[in-house]
Amino acid sequence: MHRTTEQHDPIAIEDLYRGLDAEDTVNAESVILKLRGETCDIDCLYCYEKRKEAPGGARIDAGQVRRLAEIFGERPLAVELHGGEPLTAGREYVAEVLRELAAQPRVVRVSMQTNGVQLDEEWLDLFDNTYPGLQIGISLDGDAAGNAWRVGYDGKPVYPRVAASLRLLADRGRRVGVIVAVTPAVLGRAAAVLDHLASFEAVNAVSFVPCFDASVQRPTTAPGRRLPASRRLQRAAVDGPGGPAWAITPDAYAEFVLAVTSRWIHAGHFTRLKLEPAVSTIRRLRGLTSGFCHFSDLKCDHVFTLYPDGRFGSCDELPWPQAQLTRLDQADGQVGIIAAQRRLPLLNQGKDLMERCTGCAYQSACGGGCIATRWRYEKAGDQDAYCDYRMRMIDGIAALLAQPAHPAGAWCRTARWRPRTPNSMRDIDAFLARWNDADVPRPPVRLHTSEHGNINTVGLPGIHEADDLDPAHPQWEAALEPGVRPLVEAVTGVWSLVTYDSCQGHPYPGLALAPAMRRIGILPRNRTEYAQAASALCRTVAAVSDLLPAAVQVSLGRTELTCESTGRTRPVLDLALRPAPGYDWSAYFAALDAATETIAEALRQERPVSDLECACPAPQPAAAPAEEVRA
């Protein structure tokens, strides 16, 4: 028996963007402490914190940490020491803050994001003595060439000093995560960049974050009359014709993520490195949760930033001062924070941006993404570019999961992630074993046909259980709905593949049911057969796209079939005939049989063979390493 549907019911915005609840004492709130505001001992050209141009020089002290804990009461807190550069606060101040954090029972995790330039034995001794569980993150854009935009005020690279710090951390037995800004300096070199980072013994996690900075139009203001070399470099980079020279497009980022995820799998780095955004995407594709806010419902209402001067607001990636909620000395507990969030136009705008996600087929895997980035793209009138990259990334990673030994599938733009809920079969292994053995006894099954043409166990329209048959079963022909038979016969007969589901499509006139599309579901026996079938189906779709009636289009979907007896899932492929944009269901059903025969003939002319190339263009060859920027 199997159950399957193509329906995607819209979900409530609250399921994608959860508001802060003062009664919640389980979910930890993320609090970013800007220990020195934007003050930093290096001058990365793309630094978003310095673009806020807020006054620096002050330090967050232990008293502010205590006040923060009072505001959130029984709520767990995950605290990140950030900047600028937190180590510029000096050892005495950092030790004071760490001791206060250690004294707060509701602080469940403390991390520090640093450029690593100042790290030495004394700093590591201080961490061990005051907060042994401190998690350290290092900002490093891959190899030396990738760090072209990370320079000191003298314009010279800081990479050698950071690499030395990573070696020191390894000597001390420390394990750290690395945040990599994806700029043109690493595009086309995903494998080399990941391999380089993996060569550091201390690194056990890598997060690649995009420089979506095309909207940056002016350099950061510099104090004083004399510009440091780094700001001269920045001015030259900002003045380029296509925006800042360090900026990348969403599509370029998606391609980089797919390339680096493929390398992560094939080089075996997954055994010791956590990779983002790959891991969070995989978890969401598997129906699991993620702690990464871009993939979670705990978004901007659950991320807070505190500056040394007492400014207290939402995520530091949002524009300030628009993101400011209150001042620390004026905060009136969580109830007051919630009231301020509901009044803040920026947060309300961000939440509104996610309304389009509620009916999106990708929302279960995407989680809505980053509100700050979506807000910037919305202001630029190009939010589709952001959504397109998220979809592209999900499609490619779904392919890598389904066919890890055949990474070329990640570059297919035809096969899209199309989850179906429910999509389950009682016993997948038993079904496949029976399909592959014609001598196994096949008992009679229940077949009933509804007045709308549905063939299932009860003879009713809509989604109902149907017995799982194979071509050797005496009732195989009777179980196939006539309209979909040409597609099933081509796939099972000519291609010798397994179908787990088929539907001829049903208009359901006079019923409250939504019309059903014509489709077939393919259950590959193994990952190699999956890869061959996916590429052959892509070629088929490409061959017929311009030949179909105008009212019908064909799509290729990747999804998973759940085995009800074991709970495990298997990657499957769905070929569906959909109404083309601008055409109604009546036009679709009038043209459906003609479209079906065109596709069936194309399937008969194609084969799933060892040639795994699909009809989509492969990525461009790797670019040469970017030259180091010079003053």
Side-chain angles (χ1 to χ4, degrees):
M1 294 282 186
H2 71 265
R3 293 194 309 141
T4 185
T5 180
E6 185 68 20
Q7 305 304 318
H8 301 290
D9 295 327
I11 65 172
I13 188 65
E14 290 75 19
D15 294 324
L16 283 168
Y17 188 121
R18 194 190 315 179
L20 185 64
D21 180 1
E23 301 302 317
D24 183 359
T25 59
V26 175
N27 292 292
E29 297 306 297
S30 175
V31 181
I32 302 166
L33 301 185
K34 297 286 187 179
L35 284 188
R36 294 294 308 283
E38 84 287 359
T39 300
C40 190
D41 50 359
I42 67 175
D43 201 28
C44 303
L45 275 59
Y46 53 63
C47 180
Y48 70 87
E49 191 63 48
K50 290 179 181 176
R51 288 201 296 266
K52 297 174 185 176
E53 298 176 4
R59 297 175 175 87
I60 287 177
D61 58 34
Q64 290 172 302
V65 173
R66 283 193 296 273
R67 175 62 184 142
L68 195 64
E70 292 170 359
I71 291 171
F72 285 98
E74 294 300 308
R75 168 87 65 168
L77 298 179
V79 177
E80 181 176 8
L81 309 182
H82 208 276
E85 170 53 46
L87 298 187
T88 60
R91 289 185 174 87
E92 179 182 344
Y93 273 89
V94 171
E96 179 185 9
V97 168
L98 288 175
R99 281 192 290 267
E100 186 59 44
L101 289 168
Q104 297 298 330
R106 302 304 291 171
V107 172
V108 295
R109 184 174 65 254
V110 178
S111 60
M112 172 184 286
Q113 190 65 33
T114 172
N115 59 38
V117 170
Q118 291 191 35
L119 276 180
D120 57 20
E121 298 279 4
E122 288 187 60
W123 272 115
L124 295 178
D125 287 342
L126 184 151
F127 299 154
D128 289 342
N129 293 330
T130 57
Y131 205 103
L134 178 69
Q135 300 175 8
I136 299 175
I138 301 290
S139 299
L140 185 71
D141 298 346
D143 55 13
N147 280 271
W149 308 105
R150 298 186 66 82
V151 298
Y153 288 91
D154 58 3
K156 295 180 180 179
V158 298
Y159 169 84
R161 287 183 280 172
V162 185
S165 293
L166 285 173
R167 291 189 287 270
L168 172 62
L169 287 161
D171 292 341
R172 295 287 294 255
R174 284 271 187 174
R175 296 295 177 264
V176 300
V178 173
I179 291 182
V180 180
V182 179
T183 70
V186 301
L187 293 182
R189 303 192 304 112
V193 169
L194 185 63
D195 289 350
H196 182 78
L197 291 170
S199 70
F200 290 103
E201 183 183 348
V203 176
N204 67 357
V206 181
S207 179
F208 288 98
V209 298
C211 272
F212 290 156
D213 285 347
S215 61
V216 176
Q217 298 177 343
R218 61 187 181 90
T220 305
T221 300
R225 296 181 179 179
R226 186 173 181 179
L227 282 179
S230 55
R231 297 301 170 89
R232 295 198 297 271
L233 290 172
Q234 189 193 55
R235 287 195 172 189
V238 170
D239 289 341
W246 63 78
I248 64 168
T249 65
D251 188 63
Y253 177 63
E255 298 301 307
F256 180 88
V257 169
L258 296 179
V260 83
T261 303
S262 177
R263 182 61 179 177
W264 178 63
I265 294 171
H266 284 269
H269 295 318
F270 66 90
T271 61
R272 57 171 291 261
L273 289 181
K274 179 183 178 183
L275 183 71
E276 289 291 4
V279 168
S280 287
T281 305
I282 291 168
R283 288 187 62 83
R284 292 300 301 252
L285 286 169
R286 293 287 189 236
L288 303 172
T289 59
S290 168
F292 190 177
C293 62
H294 294 193
F295 293 84
S296 167
D297 59 351
L298 300 179
K299 295 194 180 295
C300 300
D301 282 20
H302 298 266
V303 182
F304 299 93
T305 305
L306 174 64
Y307 283 90
D309 61 0
R311 287 173 295 146
F312 185 72
S314 191
C315 175
D316 64 335
E317 293 192 30
L318 289 166
W320 282 67
Q322 298 99 310
Q324 183 172 335
L325 294 166
T326 183
R327 296 189 61 81
L328 190 66
D329 58 359
Q330 298 171 355
D332 185 20
Q334 286 192 77
V335 173
I337 296 296
I338 293 170
Q341 287 177 332
R342 292 175 178 173
R343 290 193 303 267
L344 196 68
L346 188 65
L347 289 182
N348 290 323
Q349 292 166 12
K351 192 172 184 177
D352 288 345
L353 288 179
M354 295 193 65
E355 286 291 345
R356 68 188 296 178
C357 303
T358 58
C360 177
Y362 285 83
Q363 53 84 10
S364 63
C366 172
C370 172
I371 301 300
T373 306
R374 292 183 64 140
W375 184 84
R376 290 198 297 271
Y377 274 93
E378 175 70 13
K379 288 204 69 176
D382 196 18
Q383 191 180 167
D384 285 347
Y386 183 74
C387 292
D388 289 347
Y389 119 67
R390 300 282 294 182
M391 296 176 189
R392 177 78 190 95
M393 179 177 69
I394 290 166
D395 290 340
I397 291 180
L400 290 171
L401 283 178
Q403 51 184 85
H406 307 284
W411 310 115
C412 179
R413 290 178 177 262
T414 301
R416 310 292 298 271
W417 176 247
R418 290 287 184 267
R420 293 162 65 179
T421 304
N423 198 33
S424 64
M425 178 179 287
R426 182 169 297 168
D427 192 330
I428 295 176
D429 290 338
F431 172 67
L432 287 174
R434 187 168 62 251
W435 188 290
N436 293 327
D437 188 351
D439 296 329
V440 173
R442 289 164 168 81
V445 298
R446 296 168 296 166
L447 293 179
H448 298 281
T449 304
S450 79
E451 61 179 317
H452 295 274
N454 309 80
I455 300 177
N456 50 46
T457 60
V458 292
L460 294 175
I463 307 303
H464 297 281
E465 288 187 341
D467 287 293
D468 304 311
L469 306 186
D470 60 90
H473 196 287
Q475 294 171 277
W476 168 255
E477 292 288 338
L480 293 178
E481 295 175 356
V484 77
R485 185 170 294 167
L487 301 179
V488 174
E489 290 177 345
V491 168
T492 60
V494 180
W495 285 25
S496 299
L497 295 182
V498 178
T499 54
Y500 74 92
D501 175 51
S502 65
C503 177
Q504 72 174 9
H506 307 283
Y508 298 132
L511 299 183
L513 294 172
M517 295 178 290
R518 184 165 295 179
R519 65 171 189 269
I520 58 170
I522 299 170
L523 172 60
R525 297 174 177 86
N526 52 57
R527 295 185 186 279
T528 297
E529 186 173 270
Y530 179 102
Q532 293 171 348
S535 59
L537 287 168
C538 174
R539 295 193 296 268
T540 300
V541 170
V544 303
S545 291
D546 294 334
L547 304 177
L548 297 178
V552 180
Q553 63 181 19
V554 60
S555 70
L556 174 58
R558 301 184 192 271
T559 188
E560 291 185 334
L561 179 67
T562 299
C563 179
E564 295 170 0
S565 63
T566 67
R568 294 194 294 267
T569 60
R570 293 282 293 263
V572 293
L573 296 161
D574 290 341
L575 193 69
L577 282 68
R578 302 172 178 272
Y583 290 87
D584 59 18
W585 284 102
S586 61
Y588 166 78
F589 282 107
L592 190 54
D593 287 340
T596 299
E597 186 50 46
T598 299
I599 296 170
E601 179 58 28
L603 289 169
R604 290 189 284 266
Q605 299 301 317
E606 185 59 78
R607 295 293 186 279
V609 293
S610 58
D611 177 10
L612 296 176
E613 291 187 6
C614 70
C616 303
Q620 295 297 313
E627 290 188 9
E628 182 182 304
V629 293
R630 294 182 176 85

